[in-house]
Amino acid sequence: MSDFSGDYIKPELMACCGAREIEDNNVVIVGTGFPTMSANIAKYTHAPNAVLMQESGVIDAQPKRPALSVGDPCLNPGAAMIGGLVDIMGMLLQAGHVDVGFLSGSQVDRFGNINTTVIGPYEAPKTRLPGSGGANPIGCLARKTLIIALHDKRRLAHKVDFITTPGYIDGPGAREKWGMPENTGPHVLITNKAVLRFDKDTKEAYLASYHPGSTIEEIRDNTPWDLKVSDSVHETLPPTEEELRALREKLDPFRMISIYEKKGYV
Amino acid sequence: MSKVMSMKEAIAANVRSGDFLFIGGYVCRTPFSAIHEIIRQRITDLTITRSNAADDFDMMIGAGCVKRFIATFLSLGVYGLGRCFRRSLEKGIPRKIELEEYTNLALPMMLMAGAMGMPFVPIRDMAGSDLLKVKSFMGEDKYKLIESPFDGRPTILVPALNPDVGIIHVQQADEFGNAQMWGIGGDCMYGANASKKVIVSCERIVSRETVGKDPSRTIVPGGRVVAVVEEPYGSHPGYTPGFYDADFSFGYLYQQASNTEEGFKAFLDEWVYGMEDRTAYIQHYIQKFGYEAYKKLGAEFDYSFPVSYAY
């Protein structure tokens, strides 16, 4: 039997891509959906000592079903610690103790800046989005930020309408100029077509791997900037049997993840 | 002296149009009973604040109570964007609220500073983002960018917040206002303690002796509290750990209703204006959805191990 499974849906592959960026003993801030699934796949495979927490105040929750929000009742019983926002966002994140944060956005640009505030002009919004919440501090302060987005020319942008969460802002040196902690920032951009990483010199996202079924040409056509391609570009490894087992048996027996297919993550 | 009173009395005596309110909750222990009473008493021109707002703040905005919102985030969670919030900012319905935007690190720190009597607090987020470019009613006082006098690093200072009234819902309190809670904290403790006066609603009023059996759970000392309201299911459709679950189907009902102006008005008429108080609201819930649905919300018992404060 092969280690890799051909029987998976695209959102499951994306969740596995996220999981592979988490190392053992990492402290991870998670929201709902992809972040929780990725972090838990990591925890049940190669990173058993990863510690997951929710910004609302929960550390090492033991939920019996997938949480529907970071304030979900299922996060309370059995957690290692429950405090509040100042404990998680202040004492842990701001103090530099968080390794990985996950973010998604309505718009993401080539420097990994994220917009969750407004589509169109700020004062006369075409669509008013929720705002920052915990996204901005996570993007500023987590050592690595993993970004999940849909891969099309509406969601990916040369420049976002509004920087809710700074990535590399306008390029090399910008984070340092703003006094952000060293060696932090966007680490990877996982889309439904590809995995993009950030060039260490230009800070621009480039193509690292393309998902099975996607082509480099199609990905470049759907990216609004002149997407550079890594010399070592390759096909994204499909989910392993072990990763899928962790996801489906431990976390998501009803395959709620399939709702992402309906949202266009195919 | 006992501070126990009805929600109608607590809001009438302590909340005025134009006030600045902190309203606690994070899906967890949202003081919905107080919010409905504020709407019923047609209190307007409020400035409201909390990190991560949801259907509670959306409803106050839709009902026309809000002039200004010191915000970090507002959405209906799994049900998507806040409908009334969007109508206000996109179309000015029922009025265009003024928004000052921070983050889930900055705002709780601003409330912490307020609770501690500090004028401001340094933060390490918001840097390099457009949140610094948009300023609303706080103007130049939204933040200051300085070089840290200690290490020269660029540092953002944000002002302390001291709301006129803090409103929180907790599991239990005594008649003097010593308020005890457990479960997800959000910014509830600092928000309440930053406020000039505090209204506490609770699932049950307990004796001072019961509070003293586990004093580490008290998040607001009674001396800061002006009103205590015993309000079972006061947080519905949010949840209160140990008492009842979040009512996700009611959340969907709100989202469907608030999709349109007419639907939202009908929702308010039915669930807020049409109800005398929380007791009537719960009775209406049972009449409409059945006793089984109501009973199903109730939490099971899973008591924690008792602690000992003996020495």
Side-chain angles (χ1 to χ4, degrees), chain A residues 84-99:
Chain A
L85 283 160
V86 169
D87 302 299
I88 303 294
M89 304 305 264
M91 287 199 318
L92 292 168
L93 178 66
Q94 183 164 254
H97 306 301
V98 171
D99 298 302

Side-chain angles (χ1 to χ4, degrees), chain A residues 198-246:
Chain A
F198 293 85
D199 185 89
K200 72 176 171 30
D201 297 319
T202 66
K203 303 298 183 191
E204 191 174 282
Y206 66 86
L207 182 64
S209 74
Y210 48 90
H211 298 337
S214 294
T215 64
I216 295 174
E217 193 180 26
E218 176 209 353
I219 289 164
R220 294 197 66 185
D221 283 348
N222 282 284
T223 308
W225 64 88
D226 181 21
L227 184 69
K228 307 286 189 298
V229 178
S230 165
D231 293 340
S232 58
V233 70
H234 57 89
E235 191 174 79
T236 310
L237 292 180
T240 66
E241 299 282 355
E242 193 194 11
E243 285 168 336
L244 281 183
R245 206 161 42 239

Side-chain angles (χ1 to χ4, degrees), chain B residues 69-124:
Chain B
F69 177 20
I70 303 175
T72 68
F73 183 89
L74 194 156
S75 97
L76 302 183
V78 284
Y79 305 120
L81 302 171
R83 269 53 180 181
C84 296
F85 179 63
R86 283 190 64 179
R87 271 196 296 276
S88 167
L89 292 174
E90 293 170 15
K91 296 177 182 157
I93 300 169
R95 68 191 286 184
K96 184 153 179 165
I97 59 165
E98 300 168 45
L99 201 62
E100 201 72 86
E101 299 198 55
Y102 292 97
T103 71
N104 281 0
L105 170 63
L107 186 65
M109 298 283 288
M110 292 157 73
L111 293 166
M112 184 190 79
M116 298 197 174
M118 300 190 289
F120 60 84
V121 63
I123 51 159
R124 287 271 177 237

Side-chain angles (χ1 to χ4, degrees), chain A residues 55-66:
Chain A
E55 65 176 36
S56 52
V58 189
I59 301 178
D60 197 21
Q62 311 285 316
K64 293 200 169 69
R65 58 168 173 79

Side-chain angles (χ1 to χ4, degrees), chain A residues 159-210:
Chain A
K159 191 173 185 303
V160 291
D161 289 358
F162 187 98
I163 301 180
T164 312
T165 304
Y168 294 106
I169 313 173
D170 55 5
R175 286 178 71 90
E176 291 76 7
K177 197 186 89 196
W178 278 101
M180 289 186 210
E182 281 176 19
N183 303 316
T184 59
H187 182 69
V188 67
L189 168 56
I190 299 162
T191 76
N192 52 320
K193 295 185 189 302
V195 175
L196 281 60
R197 295 185 185 277
F198 293 85
D199 185 89
K200 72 176 171 30
D201 297 319
T202 66
K203 303 298 183 191
E204 191 174 282
Y206 66 86
L207 182 64
S209 74
Y210 48 90

Side-chain angles (χ1 to χ4, degrees), chain A:
Chain A
M1 192 176 74
S2 139
D3 284 347
F4 295 102
S5 172
D7 171 30
Y8 63 87
I9 58 173
K10 192 64 64 64
E12 289 175 325
L13 172 66
M14 294 172 71
C16 293
C17 288
R20 293 164 190 168
E21 305 296 328
I22 295 171
E23 297 162 36
D24 201 14
N25 295 303
N26 273 180
V27 174
V28 187
I29 288 198
V30 296
T32 51
F34 278 119
T36 301
M37 287 185 276
S38 288
N40 276 291
I41 292 168
K43 202 169 162 61
Y44 288 113
T45 56
H46 64 277
N49 302 303
V51 176
L52 277 53
M53 48 198 211
Q54 277 78 18
E55 65 176 36
S56 52
V58 189
I59 301 178
D60 197 21
Q62 311 285 316
K64 293 200 169 69
R65 58 168 173 79
L68 299 178
S69 85
V70 294
D72 192 310
C74 73
L75 295 168
N76 286 297
M81 172 175 166
I82 304 182
L85 283 160
V86 169
D87 302 299
I88 303 294
M89 304 305 264
M91 287 199 318
L92 292 168
L93 178 66
Q94 183 164 254
H97 306 301
V98 171
D99 298 302
V100 181
F102 274 91
L103 299 172
S104 57
S106 296
Q107 271 186 333
V108 182
D109 71 21
R110 66 198 168 109
F111 291 125
N113 300 307
I114 302 172
N115 175 15
T116 52
T117 299
V118 67
I119 302 295
Y122 183 80
E123 289 301 335
K126 193 162 144 273
T127 307
R128 174 63 215 203
L129 303 167
S132 164
N136 176 298
I138 289 168
C140 286
L141 296 159
R143 192 164 59 82
K144 292 201 262 194
T145 316
L146 317 185
I147 308 169
I148 305 242
L150 263 173
H151 205 133
D152 62 43
K153 282 187 166 170
R154 210 156 58 89
R155 306 312 209 304
L156 300 188
H158 189 75
K159 191 173 185 303
V160 291
D161 289 358
F162 187 98
I163 301 180
T164 312
T165 304
Y168 294 106
I169 313 173
D170 55 5
R175 286 178 71 90
E176 291 76 7
K177 197 186 89 196
W178 278 101
M180 289 186 210
E182 281 176 19
N183 303 316
T184 59
H187 182 69
V188 67
L189 168 56
I190 299 162
T191 76
N192 52 320
K193 295 185 189 302
V195 175
L196 281 60
R197 295 185 185 277
F198 293 85
D199 185 89
K200 72 176 171 30
D201 297 319
T202 66
K203 303 298 183 191
E204 191 174 282
Y206 66 86
L207 182 64
S209 74
Y210 48 90
H211 298 337
S214 294
T215 64
I216 295 174
E217 193 180 26
E218 176 209 353
I219 289 164
R220 294 197 66 185
D221 283 348
N222 282 284
T223 308
W225 64 88
D226 181 21
L227 184 69
K228 307 286 189 298
V229 178
S230 165
D231 293 340
S232 58
V233 70
H234 57 89
E235 191 174 79
T236 310
L237 292 180
T240 66
E241 299 282 355
E242 193 194 11
E243 285 168 336
L244 281 183
R245 206 161 42 239
L247 179 58
R248 292 175 187 173
E249 289 177 18
K250 301 272 190 196
L251 294 165
D252 191 21
F254 302 111
R255 296 190 77 182
M256 286 164 74
I257 196 169
S258 65
I259 64 166
Y260 288 98
E261 279 190 318
K262 294 188 192 85
K263 292 179 179 176
Y265 286 82
V266 289

